[in-house]
Amino acid sequence: MSSPTLNTDLKTLSLRRALDMIAEGEVSPVDLINAYYDRIDAREAEVGAWHYLLPREQYLQQYFDRQDFYTASLLQGLPVGIKDIIDTAGMATEMGSTIHRGRQPVDNASCVNLLTKAGAMVPGKTVTTEFAYFKPGKTCNPRDLGRTPGGSSSGSAAAVADFMVPAAVGSQTAASVIRPAAYCGVVGYVGSRGEYSLRGVQPLAQSLDSLGLFARQVEDIELLRSVLLQQPLVSSTVPDRPYRILVCKGSSVGDSDPAMDQALEQFSSRLQQQGAEIIEMHSCDLIRRLVEHHHKIMAWEATRNLTYEAGHPEQLSEALQQLFELGRGMARETYLDSLQTVSKIGNWLWSNPDHLDVDAILAPAAPGVAPCGQTATGQPHMSRPWQVLGLPVVTLPGMTDEQGLPLGLQFIGRPREDDQLLTLARWAETTMS
């Protein structure tokens, strides 16, 4: 392969492809770093993905100061965006709120430490909604600047979608990775509950919080997963039997646009043509009930986590204050009932005779395309059931509506079967092209 000569070529490379080209001597890390910064210079004023951004000269100086380390490292000094609820020792972490303006952590979150030890560099902090809840930041959707990028990991999704970085870190409590990935047209992944350390990540609801990743190819997610687990990269192989995929229609969860319903049907047909066995989940009120129980659990726990912030109501959004009001007025028995009911539904999901041999669930990642406007981040109900169950989830880009806007679909895996889920997603990714 001939060496690319244009930055517009370099910035679109997947992380794995970029690292391969560095190893083959076809491109240098500095070429790639400059390509990303050229893109940021050209687009950041419109997209607004960054809450704080290290100047190019400072980034390059830090790279050259430790060039021997980066040359010997896995990630070669390439940039990974970090959501601004995740602590960074060298940059303020303000969590999308004026309450924490200028807050400077004394050390990195564990996930940041693991990435930087593997040779990643942090170019800046990506925009988050207020405390990873609903109040939007400044970020626009790079696929259509008049639309929301989703939330709460809005800046991370937009930065990857607009080729400003090859990958970024986010978090999810309701739909904070999967929805923005779906709206912006990138790969989004949320690990099984407890799969990754959350030390140094602002908590919202401890029974729901999970770490997430954004990239443009599933193989990049697999690479970063290996870094976060401190395990060798071992991609699972596709089984020598047909995949069995359980399709959950959007109507089983909540409101769903006709375009999304059509995308789900079309993608299911593609998978079937590739040899997968498609099984339709019978309409069941239990999945819808998970949406409600998720909201109750979030309200109870967020109210008791953000007690300091609740003492500054004049600096809080109305949406967050309403969540606190719900949580304060909730009886503990109601909270415990939701936790117990979720556990029972989770047992039903995987013990149902029709579901026993299923490899994954396929469902909409959002109700439809990204809504117009910047005053809200879209509805999270398509992710709430799977998030409250603590399941691994990955959303794939590729399906679009008549205007070419992304319609994201998500695969949901069994607990702790993240590797198998990502292997399935990598296999399914080929049907999107």
Side-chain angles (χ1 to χ4, degrees), residues 73-200:
S73 73
L74 174 66
L75 299 179
Q76 294 289 308
L78 298 184
V80 175
I82 303 295
K83 183 179 180 179
D84 195 38
I85 66 161
I86 300 173
D87 282 353
T88 43
M91 301 171 186
T93 302
E94 299 180 337
M95 297 176 281
S97 172
T98 56
I99 294 173
H100 291 287
R101 182 173 291 160
R103 175 182 174 271
Q104 180 59 63
V106 297
D107 57 5
N108 288 326
S110 293
C111 61
V112 177
N113 269 334
L114 290 167
L115 289 166
T116 55
K117 286 180 179 179
M121 291 184 67
V122 179
K125 305 303 290 290
T126 56
V127 171
T128 178
T129 62
E130 173 196 39
F131 301 114
Y133 194 55
F134 284 159
K135 182 184 177 183
K138 64 178 180 178
T139 310
C140 300
N141 191 319
R143 298 293 295 269
D144 181 340
L145 296 173
R147 295 176 184 270
T148 178
S152 63
S153 305
S154 48
S156 289
V160 172
D162 207 48
F163 309 108
M164 297 176 179
V165 287
V169 182
S171 67
Q172 178 158 298
T173 305
S176 296
V177 169
I178 298 304
R179 187 169 79 256
Y183 284 168
C184 294
V186 294
V187 178
Y189 158 71
V190 176
S192 293
R193 182 80 31 73
E195 190 77 355
Y196 305 110
S197 171
L198 293 180
R199 181 185 178 191

Side-chain angles (χ1 to χ4, degrees), residues 52 194 283 297:
Y52 171 78
S283 181
I297 293 168

Side-chain angles (χ1 to χ4, degrees), residues 328-370:
R328 283 192 292 265
M330 188 183 301
R332 182 170 179 268
E333 290 72 19
T334 300
Y335 166 67
L336 293 178
D337 177 70
S338 285
L339 290 174
Q340 293 165 0
T341 301
V342 166
S343 179
K344 292 177 182 177
I345 295 175
N347 291 334
W348 162 83
L349 181 63
W350 300 117
S351 64
N352 186 308
D354 294 336
H355 305 170
L356 288 179
D357 298 323
V358 164
D359 293 292
I361 300 168
L362 175 65
V369 301

Side-chain angles (χ1 to χ4, degrees), residues 253-422:
V253 183
D255 293 339
S256 181
D257 294 345
M260 178 59 78
D261 299 337
Q262 184 178 11
L264 179 65
E265 183 177 347
Q266 290 176 345
F267 187 50
S268 299
S269 296
R270 290 187 191 180
L271 295 176
Q272 195 166 32
Q273 291 168 9
Q274 295 297 315
E277 182 182 352
I278 301 298
I279 304 143
E280 186 173 320
M281 180 185 288
H282 298 299
S283 181
C284 181
D285 182 58
L286 292 177
I287 301 299
R288 278 181 175 258
R289 287 174 61 191
L290 288 172
V291 176
E292 176 186 351
H293 289 299
H294 175 283
H295 187 54
K296 290 179 180 178
I297 293 168
M298 177 186 279
W300 172 275
E301 294 182 355
T303 301
R304 286 149 185 84
N305 276 320
L306 301 182
T307 55
Y308 172 77
E309 291 78 7
H312 299 77
E314 72 285 352
Q315 297 182 70
L316 294 176
S317 67
E318 182 179 350
L320 195 56
Q321 292 189 60
Q322 289 175 350
L323 186 73
F324 291 161
E325 184 177 352
L326 176 62
R328 283 192 292 265
M330 188 183 301
R332 182 170 179 268
E333 290 72 19
T334 300
Y335 166 67
L336 293 178
D337 177 70
S338 285
L339 290 174
Q340 293 165 0
T341 301
V342 166
S343 179
K344 292 177 182 177
I345 295 175
N347 291 334
W348 162 83
L349 181 63
W350 300 117
S351 64
N352 186 308
D354 294 336
H355 305 170
L356 288 179
D357 298 323
V358 164
D359 293 292
I361 300 168
L362 175 65
V369 301
C372 292
Q374 308 296 334
T375 59
T377 58
Q379 293 299 316
H381 56 267
M382 290 299 178
S383 285
R384 285 188 190 267
W386 325 118
Q387 188 64 21
V388 77
L389 292 173
L391 303 176
V393 182
V394 59
T395 183
L396 297 179
M399 304 301 291
T400 59
D401 71 353
E402 293 180 352
Q403 301 177 65
L405 294 171
L407 287 165
L409 299 171
Q410 59 181 331
F411 285 108
I412 302 101
R414 293 174 179 271
R416 299 292 184 177
E417 293 192 0
D418 297 48
D419 291 324
Q420 295 90 325
L421 177 68
L422 290 170

Side-chain angles (χ1 to χ4, degrees), residues 195-251:
E195 190 77 355
Y196 305 110
S197 171
L198 293 180
R199 181 185 178 191
V201 181
Q202 166 67 30
L204 183 59
Q206 63 271 15
S207 297
L208 306 171
D209 295 342
S210 300
L211 202 68
L213 297 167
F214 297 90
R216 292 189 290 275
Q217 297 288 330
V218 175
E219 65 177 7
D220 292 347
I221 300 291
E222 293 176 309
L223 175 63
L224 295 176
R225 170 173 162 76
S226 73
V227 170
L228 294 174
L229 291 179
Q230 296 184 292
Q231 295 288 301
L233 174 61
V234 180
S235 295
S236 302
T237 57
V238 174
D240 57 358
R241 58 166 177 79
Y243 275 120
R244 299 187 79 240
I245 298 172
L246 183 66
V247 176
C248 178
K249 293 183 177 179
S251 58

